[in-house]
Coordinates of all heavy atoms in Angstrom, one line a residue:
E206 N -170.0 -95.9 -46.6 CA -168.7 -96.6 -46.7 C -168.3 -97.2 -45.3 O -168.4 -96.4 -44.3 CB -167.6 -95.7 -47.2 CG -166.3 -96.4 -47.4 CD -165.3 -95.4 -48.1 OE1 -165.4 -95.1 -49.3 OE2 -164.4 -95.0 -47.4
D207 N -167.9 -98.4 -45.3 CA -167.4 -99.1 -44.1 C -166.0 -99.6 -44.4 O -165.8 -100.3 -45.4 CB -168.3 -100.3 -43.7 CG -169.7 -99.8 -43.3 OD1 -169.8 -98.8 -42.7 OD2 -170.6 -100.6 -43.5
C208 N -165.1 -99.2 -43.6 CA -163.7 -99.6 -43.8 C -163.1 -100.2 -42.5 O -163.5 -99.8 -41.4 CB -162.8 -98.4 -44.1 SG -163.3 -97.5 -45.6
E209 N -162.2 -101.2 -42.7 CA -161.4 -101.7 -41.6 C -160.0 -102.0 -42.1 O -159.9 -102.6 -43.2 CB -162.1 -103.0 -41.1 CG -161.3 -103.6 -40.0 CD -161.9 -104.9 -39.4 OE1 -163.0 -105.3 -39.9 OE2 -161.3 -105.5 -38.6
W210 N -159.0 -101.5 -41.4 CA -157.7 -101.8 -41.8 C -156.8 -101.8 -40.6 O -157.1 -101.3 -39.5 CB -157.2 -100.8 -42.8 CG -157.2 -99.3 -42.4 CD1 -156.3 -98.7 -41.7 CD2 -158.3 -98.4 -42.7 NE1 -156.7 -97.4 -41.5 CE2 -157.9 -97.2 -42.1 CE3 -159.5 -98.5 -43.3 CZ2 -158.7 -96.1 -42.2 CZ3 -160.3 -97.4 -43.4 CH2 -159.9 -96.2 -42.8
G211 N -155.6 -102.4 -40.8 CA -154.7 -102.6 -39.7 C -153.9 -103.8 -39.9 O -153.6 -104.3 -41.0
F212 N -153.5 -104.5 -38.8 CA -152.8 -105.7 -38.9 C -153.7 -106.9 -38.8 O -154.7 -106.9 -38.2 CB -151.8 -105.8 -37.7 CG -150.8 -104.6 -37.7 CD1 -151.0 -103.6 -36.8 CD2 -149.8 -104.6 -38.6 CE1 -150.1 -102.5 -36.8 CE2 -148.9 -103.6 -38.6 CZ -149.1 -102.5 -37.7
T213 N -153.4 -108.0 -39.5 CA -154.3 -109.1 -39.6 C -154.3 -109.9 -38.3 O -155.3 -110.6 -38.0 CB -153.8 -110.1 -40.7 OG1 -152.4 -110.4 -40.4 CG2 -153.9 -109.5 -42.0
D214 N -153.3 -109.8 -37.4 CA -153.3 -110.6 -36.2 C -153.7 -109.8 -34.9 O -153.6 -110.3 -33.8 CB -151.9 -111.2 -36.0 CG -150.8 -110.1 -36.0 OD1 -151.1 -109.0 -36.3 OD2 -149.6 -110.5 -35.7
E215 N -154.1 -108.5 -35.1 CA -154.5 -107.7 -34.0 C -156.1 -107.6 -33.9 O -156.7 -107.4 -35.0 CB -153.9 -106.3 -34.0 CG -152.4 -106.3 -33.8 CD -151.9 -104.9 -33.7 OE1 -152.7 -104.0 -33.6 OE2 -150.7 -104.8 -33.7
P216 N -156.7 -107.7 -32.7 CA -158.1 -107.7 -32.7 C -158.7 -106.2 -32.8 O -159.8 -106.0 -33.2 CB -158.4 -108.2 -31.3 CG -157.2 -108.0 -30.5 CD -156.1 -108.1 -31.5
D217 N -157.9 -105.2 -32.5 CA -158.3 -103.8 -32.5 C -157.8 -103.1 -33.7 O -157.0 -102.2 -33.6 CB -157.9 -103.1 -31.2 CG -158.5 -103.7 -30.0 OD1 -159.6 -104.2 -30.1 OD2 -157.9 -103.6 -28.9
N218 N -158.4 -103.5 -34.9 CA -158.0 -102.8 -36.1 C -158.8 -101.5 -36.2 O -159.8 -101.3 -35.5 CB -158.3 -103.6 -37.3 CG -157.4 -104.8 -37.4 OD1 -156.2 -104.7 -37.2 ND2 -157.9 -106.0 -37.8
Y219 N -158.3 -100.6 -37.0 CA -159.0 -99.3 -37.2 C -160.2 -99.5 -38.0 O -160.2 -100.0 -39.1 CB -158.0 -98.3 -37.8 CG -158.6 -96.9 -38.0 CD1 -158.8 -96.1 -36.9 CD2 -159.0 -96.5 -39.2 CE1 -159.3 -94.8 -37.0 CE2 -159.6 -95.2 -39.4 CZ -159.7 -94.4 -38.3 OH -160.3 -93.2 -38.4
K220 N -161.4 -99.0 -37.5 CA -162.6 -99.1 -38.3 C -163.2 -97.7 -38.5 O -163.1 -96.8 -37.6 CB -163.7 -99.9 -37.5 CG -163.2 -101.4 -37.3 CD -164.2 -102.2 -36.6 CE -163.7 -103.6 -36.4 NZ -164.7 -104.5 -35.7
D221 N -163.8 -97.5 -39.7 CA -164.3 -96.2 -40.0 C -165.6 -96.4 -40.8 O -165.7 -97.3 -41.7 CB -163.2 -95.5 -40.9 CG -163.6 -94.0 -41.2 OD1 -164.4 -93.5 -40.4 OD2 -163.1 -93.5 -42.1
K222 N -166.5 -95.5 -40.5 CA -167.8 -95.5 -41.3 C -168.0 -94.0 -41.8 O -167.7 -93.1 -41.0 CB -169.0 -95.9 -40.4 CG -168.9 -97.3 -40.0 CD -170.2 -97.7 -39.3 CE -170.1 -99.2 -39.0 NZ -171.4 -99.8 -39.0
A223 N -168.3 -93.9 -43.0 CA -168.5 -92.5 -43.6 C -169.8 -92.5 -44.4 O -170.1 -93.5 -45.1 CB -167.3 -92.2 -44.5
N224 N -170.5 -91.4 -44.3 CA -171.6 -91.1 -45.2 C -171.3 -89.8 -46.0 O -170.7 -88.9 -45.4 CB -172.9 -90.9 -44.4 CG -173.3 -92.1 -43.6 OD1 -173.1 -93.2 -44.0 ND2 -174.0 -91.8 -42.5
Y225 N -171.6 -89.8 -47.2 CA -171.3 -88.6 -48.0 C -172.4 -88.3 -49.0 O -173.1 -89.2 -49.5 CB -169.9 -88.8 -48.7 CG -169.8 -90.0 -49.6 CD1 -170.2 -90.0 -50.9 CD2 -169.3 -91.2 -49.0 CE1 -170.0 -91.1 -51.7 CE2 -169.2 -92.3 -49.8 CZ -169.6 -92.3 -51.1 OH -169.5 -93.4 -51.9
A226 N -172.5 -87.1 -49.4 CA -173.5 -86.6 -50.4 C -172.8 -85.7 -51.3 O -171.9 -84.9 -51.0 CB -174.6 -85.9 -49.7
T227 N -173.3 -85.8 -52.6 CA -172.7 -84.9 -53.6 C -173.9 -84.4 -54.5 O -174.8 -85.1 -54.8 CB -171.8 -85.7 -54.6 OG1 -170.8 -86.4 -53.7 CG2 -171.1 -84.9 -55.6
A228 N -173.8 -83.1 -54.9 CA -174.8 -82.6 -55.8 C -174.0 -81.8 -56.9 O -173.0 -81.2 -56.6 CB -175.7 -81.6 -55.1
F229 N -174.5 -81.9 -58.1 CA -173.9 -81.1 -59.2 C -174.9 -80.7 -60.3 O -175.9 -81.4 -60.4 CB -172.7 -81.9 -59.8 CG -173.0 -83.3 -60.3 CD1 -173.4 -83.5 -61.6 CD2 -173.0 -84.4 -59.4 CE1 -173.7 -84.8 -62.1 CE2 -173.3 -85.6 -59.9 CZ -173.6 -85.8 -61.2
I230 N -174.6 -79.7 -61.0 CA -175.3 -79.2 -62.1 C -174.4 -79.0 -63.3 O -173.2 -78.8 -63.1 CB -176.1 -77.9 -61.8 CG1 -175.2 -76.8 -61.5 CG2 -177.1 -78.2 -60.7 CD1 -175.9 -75.5 -61.4
G231 N -174.9 -79.1 -64.5 CA -174.1 -78.9 -65.7 C -174.9 -78.5 -66.9 O -176.1 -78.5 -66.9
L232 N -174.2 -78.1 -67.9 CA -174.7 -77.7 -69.2 C -174.0 -78.5 -70.3 O -172.8 -78.5 -70.3 CB -174.5 -76.2 -69.4 CG -175.1 -75.6 -70.7 CD1 -176.6 -75.6 -70.6 CD2 -174.6 -74.2 -70.9
R233 N -174.8 -79.1 -71.1 CA -174.2 -79.9 -72.2 C -174.7 -79.4 -73.5 O -175.9 -79.2 -73.7 CB -174.6 -81.4 -72.0 CG -174.1 -82.3 -73.1 CD -174.3 -83.7 -72.9 NE -175.6 -84.0 -72.3 CZ -175.8 -84.9 -71.3 NH1 -174.8 -85.6 -70.9 NH2 -177.0 -85.1 -70.9
H234 N -173.7 -79.2 -74.4 CA -174.1 -78.7 -75.8 C -173.3 -79.6 -76.8 O -172.1 -79.8 -76.7 CB -173.6 -77.3 -76.0 CG -174.0 -76.8 -77.4 ND1 -175.3 -76.4 -77.7 CD2 -173.2 -76.6 -78.5 CE1 -175.3 -76.0 -78.9 NE2 -174.0 -76.1 -79.4
T235 N -174.1 -80.2 -77.7 CA -173.5 -81.1 -78.7 C -173.3 -80.3 -80.0 O -174.1 -79.4 -80.4 CB -174.4 -82.3 -79.0 OG1 -175.7 -81.9 -79.3 CG2 -174.5 -83.2 -77.7

């Protein structure tokens, strides 16, 4: 994820980069 937010007229807006991982297991019964 790449984010940039702040004021539209300012050159130094807040920028953020994030990497994330998720793992899951489950059991399904119909």
Side-chain angles (χ1 to χ4, degrees):
E206 183 175 286
D207 295 327
C208 302
E209 180 180 357
W210 56 86
F212 301 104
T213 56
D214 56 352
E215 290 187 11
D217 295 329
N218 289 321
Y219 183 72
K220 295 181 181 181
D221 187 23
K222 292 186 179 214
N224 298 330
Y225 54 91
T227 307
F229 54 93
I230 61 171
L232 180 70
R233 177 174 39 220
H234 181 77
T235 56

